[in-house]
Amino acid sequence: MDVFEITGNTTGVSREGVNFLQPSDSYQNLYDGYLYRQVLQSRQGFKPFAGYLATNHLPTRVMGIFTNILTATNTTETLVADKNYLYRYNTSTDLFEQIPFAGAAVPFGITDNFAYISGTTYPAPNGSQRFVFTGKGMPGVYFYDGTNVKSFTTVADNPSYVAYATGNIDKAYHVFWFGERINFVAPTINSQFYPVGMLYSGIRTSAGNGDNFNISGSGLLQLDTYEYITGASILGNQISINCNRSNWIIEKTRDAFNPYFSRKVPSVIGTDASFSMVSWNDEVKSLGKTGVISTDGRQSLRVDTKIPYFTTDEIDPNDFELTYGGFDRLTSQFMWAYRESENALASTQTKVLINNYEENTWSVYDQRFSCFGESINGQNRDWDGIYEVNNPSWITWDSTEEIWDNVGLEADVQKTLAGDDLGFVYELNQDYDDYFVVITGISNATSAVVTTADQALQVGDKVVFAGVVGMTQINDLEAVVTARTLNSITVNIDTSDTGKFSPWTSGGNVSKVISFYAETIPFNPYRSQGCMVYISHVEFLLDTDGG
């Protein structure tokens, strides 16, 4: 009898019945889990990053999360945009503050869920703070000067601005600070859309040439293709431009008056989701309706051999543009939030596709995120600052899920953030269950009504209770959410019998259950010989303290 030791873990999310022949191909399907250093683990949860984003408690969709570099002080700030407003994170209050409009700027008025916002740090001519942003669903190009949001293309708001020869920039799909210039990809100029164009300014100087689009060294570069641009990302010293059926690279020249040239990269597929492009480790990955593609500037190749049918079968083709990409530096994972094809009632993303580029693994997370971002801002969780106003999980000691070793360190670490469709921003990779929220009351009723702090639990979510005082019988029970508001959920637990369920008195939390699932693949090195193989025994260890 031959004996094989199955080592290595390379996961996939494949069609049923696929029989892999290599020992390293250990898992056919992996959900809400990941591999780290060849160890299979359930994923960590996430927690709210700061207060509720929306104004007047009305639902709002997070359309962009940005790190604005304050070049004068060499510090950063976290900015978040929804369909109408821009917000800044206040470290002192741990809240998002809506930034007021001034001058000619008006609320964005974005109507489409897939019309995401692109933004970039781009200092003013005198070097002062400025963040420029726009999007294909916006009525203009805006900038934030540290105090107000103003119109970038209105001379009264931006005296250095000079329009392109054919007229004002109305908006663009993407904007970058690159090559000492500001660059607008797929712009609309004087109501004329340029689907394969990139408008660039003159070189940024104290005289304001960096806001001038009708000066020597500025211009409109157009790709030599019939296709249209579906994504853009900075790739080292280049700009990677993806079209619906090809990939292009824009490189710098040594000619200040003709600063860029474009070249086509050999590719097998294109990109169909404008904000699915993610740049990391000298490559840009993006999603097309026929596969996942990676571009390194020299060639573009499919990298979805473990999930060859995923984008075709699992992502809703009618809402493919909802797909949004991000990267998690802590776990070395590419992330794509998408709307699954089987969920016909969903109006936004329902799942996240994960690719760990170090381990070559794939998995699916059950998370409802609209977009991703990063931040190194946050509150210091020192002992004197731990109190229930800003840290509600600390109301009672027995309900806290803070990580003890991180007390006092939170403001200094890199954070991966995600937004959702209701105006919440979350911090990923936290030892929290999903949508963790503090309870403020539980009714004794045939269907218990649980009042909470602001939360984004949804009908159909499976939740679990912990740390409840008084109604202790509900602790550790799982339930399904049958109705919800911003500050309450109704669950399918009958608490009307006070003999079985004591009245709630204080404390507790409720959160969504993380349902980890892994499916192994039949391993048969003798399949080509028509022989069967049988596993004699399996050894494994379950670590219940791993988060």
Side-chain angles (χ1 to χ4, degrees):
M1 179 181 70
D2 292 329
V3 177
F4 295 88
E5 180 183 359
I6 300 178
T7 60
N9 295 284
T10 303
T11 67
V13 186
S14 60
R15 284 183 177 174
E16 193 70 28
V18 176
N19 191 320
F20 295 93
L21 299 179
Q22 298 300 318
S24 61
D25 297 317
S26 304
Y27 299 101
Q28 179 168 295
N29 291 298
L30 182 60
Y31 296 96
D32 282 327
Y34 65 102
L35 290 165
Y36 183 73
R37 301 294 184 261
Q38 298 296 303
V39 177
L40 179 64
Q41 303 180 59
S42 173
R43 68 171 173 83
Q44 292 177 297
F46 54 83
K47 70 173 184 178
F49 174 70
Y52 190 50
L53 189 67
T55 56
N56 302 319
H57 278 230
L58 296 175
T60 183
R61 180 176 173 83
V62 180
M63 301 297 285
I65 302 172
F66 311 101
T67 296
N68 184 26
I69 302 172
L70 309 181
T71 54
T73 58
N74 196 29
T75 58
T76 66
E77 64 179 351
T78 301
L79 303 177
V80 175
D82 66 8
K83 288 187 173 183
N84 288 293
Y85 305 104
L86 185 70
Y87 304 80
R88 62 180 159 229
Y89 172 68
N90 187 320
T91 305
S92 299
T93 63
D94 199 26
L95 297 172
F96 285 109
E97 300 174 340
Q98 183 182 317
I99 302 172
F101 290 99
V106 296
F108 314 146
I110 298 173
T111 57
D112 295 323
N113 281 352
F114 56 81
Y116 288 105
I117 295 174
S118 175
T120 183
T121 297
Y122 190 64
N126 63 2
S128 62
Q129 173 182 343
R130 187 168 60 169
F131 181 80
V132 180
F133 59 103
T134 186
K136 63 181 179 181
M138 299 177 69
V141 181
Y142 296 79
F143 73 93
Y144 160 58
D145 63 3
T147 304
N148 299 304
V149 172
K150 298 180 180 179
S151 170
F152 182 81
T153 59
T154 300
V155 175
D157 291 353
N158 182 16
S160 300
Y161 173 72
V162 178
Y164 183 59
T166 60
N168 260 347
I169 314 165
D170 297 328
K171 55 188 174 182
Y173 282 20
H174 300 270
V175 58
F176 298 109
W177 178 12
F178 180 82
E180 301 180 77
R181 298 165 165 82
I182 192 166
N183 307 269
F184 294 95
V185 178
T188 298
I189 304 172
N190 194 23
S191 301
Q192 176 68 44
F193 177 49
Y194 293 86
V196 293
M198 186 178 82
L199 179 68
Y200 55 92
S201 70
I203 294 176
R204 200 179 74 84
T205 66
S206 59
N209 291 350
D211 292 2
N212 191 329
F213 295 86
N214 195 24
I215 192 176
S216 296
S218 65
L220 177 65
L221 173 69
Q222 297 206 66
L223 305 181
D224 184 18
T225 178
Y226 65 91
E227 300 170 276
Y228 52 89
I229 293 174
T230 51
S233 179
I234 293 178
L235 177 61
N237 204 32
Q238 308 167 330
I239 295 180
S240 176
I241 302 290
N242 280 18
C243 295
N244 60 315
R245 285 296 173 267
S246 65
N247 299 272
W248 294 72
I249 290 293
I250 294 178
E251 296 191 64
K252 300 176 185 177
T253 70
R254 295 182 180 272
D255 184 350
F257 301 103
N258 296 284
Y260 299 129
F261 74 91
S262 62
R263 58 180 174 84
K264 191 172 183 178
V265 179
S267 59
V268 291
I269 61 173
T271 300
D272 291 290
S274 298
F275 280 83
S276 69
M277 294 184 67
V278 187
S279 177
W280 181 255
N281 194 37
D282 296 328
E283 64 178 329
V284 174
K285 290 185 179 180
S286 59
L287 269 59
K289 290 183 178 180
T290 54
V292 184
I293 190 171
S294 177
T295 301
D296 62 5
R298 297 175 293 107
Q299 60 182 352
S300 296
L301 300 172
R302 287 189 66 170
V303 292
D304 58 346
T305 54
K306 294 291 298 184
I307 54 167
Y309 309 105
F310 190 90
T311 60
T312 302
D313 294 350
E314 302 298 328
I315 301 180
D316 190 321
N318 297 318
D319 286 314
F320 206 91
E321 270 279 65
L322 285 176
T323 306
Y324 196 103
F327 188 81
D328 186 341
R329 296 171 184 262
L330 299 179
T331 58
S332 301
Q333 292 178 342
F334 289 89
M335 307 177 291
W336 291 280
Y338 66 94
R339 181 185 184 275
E340 60 182 337
S341 58
E342 295 182 357
N343 197 333
L345 299 179
S347 59
T348 183
Q349 293 99 317
T350 53
K351 303 287 184 181
V352 178
L353 175 64
I354 298 291
N355 172 225
N356 187 320
Y357 87 94
E358 287 186 346
E359 314 258 0
N360 189 28
T361 63
W362 297 86
S363 60
V364 171
Y365 286 2
D366 182 18
Q367 297 171 326
R368 300 182 291 264
F369 295 146
S370 59
C371 64
F372 299 102
E374 295 180 343
S375 176
I376 58 172
N377 303 121
Q379 284 197 325
N380 277 311
R381 307 299 190 195
D382 54 29
W383 289 109
D384 293 335
I386 295 173
Y387 61 104
E388 60 266 25
V389 175
N390 287 339
N391 304 284
S393 65
W394 288 81
I395 290 178
T396 57
W397 290 101
D398 60 351
S399 68
T400 183
E401 293 195 7
E402 296 283 359
I403 304 172
W404 290 93
D405 291 341
N406 283 350
V407 172
L409 299 177
E410 185 165 334
D412 303 321
V413 299
Q414 178 74 41
K415 304 172 185 67
T416 301
L417 305 182
D420 71 2
D421 205 44
L422 297 175
F424 291 92
V425 178
Y426 303 97
E427 182 179 347
L428 306 187
N429 301 314
Q430 299 297 303
D431 277 336
Y432 273 63
D433 291 321
D434 292 351
Y435 302 104
F436 174 93
V437 64
V438 171
I439 294 171
T440 58
I442 305 176
S443 70
N444 287 95
T446 54
S447 294
V449 177
V450 183
T451 54
T452 67
D454 294 346
Q455 45 76 23
L457 290 166
Q458 297 292 302
V459 173
D461 284 348
K462 181 186 290 186
V463 296
V464 63
F465 295 86
V468 175
V469 180
M471 192 184 290
T472 57
Q473 300 86 349
I474 204 171
N475 287 328
D476 297 325
L477 290 185
E478 293 186 2
V480 176
V481 177
T482 58
R484 59 93 56 190
T485 68
L486 177 64
N487 302 110
S488 71
I489 58 171
T490 302
V491 296
N492 63 341
I493 296 180
D494 185 352
T495 59
S496 60
D497 187 345
T498 55
K500 295 181 179 179
F501 287 88
S502 305
W504 176 89
T505 57
S506 66
N509 60 76
V510 62
S511 52
K512 185 180 176 185
V513 176
I514 298 176
S515 300
F516 169 66
Y517 170 85
E519 180 182 352
T520 59
I521 298 171
F523 169 58
N524 184 3
Y526 302 109
R527 184 184 185 190
S528 61
Q529 301 174 27
C531 298
M532 299 290 290
V533 64
Y534 298 93
I535 297 177
S536 61
H537 68 280
V538 177
E539 295 179 355
F540 61 91
L541 171 67
L542 292 181
D543 180 1
T544 59
D545 296 322

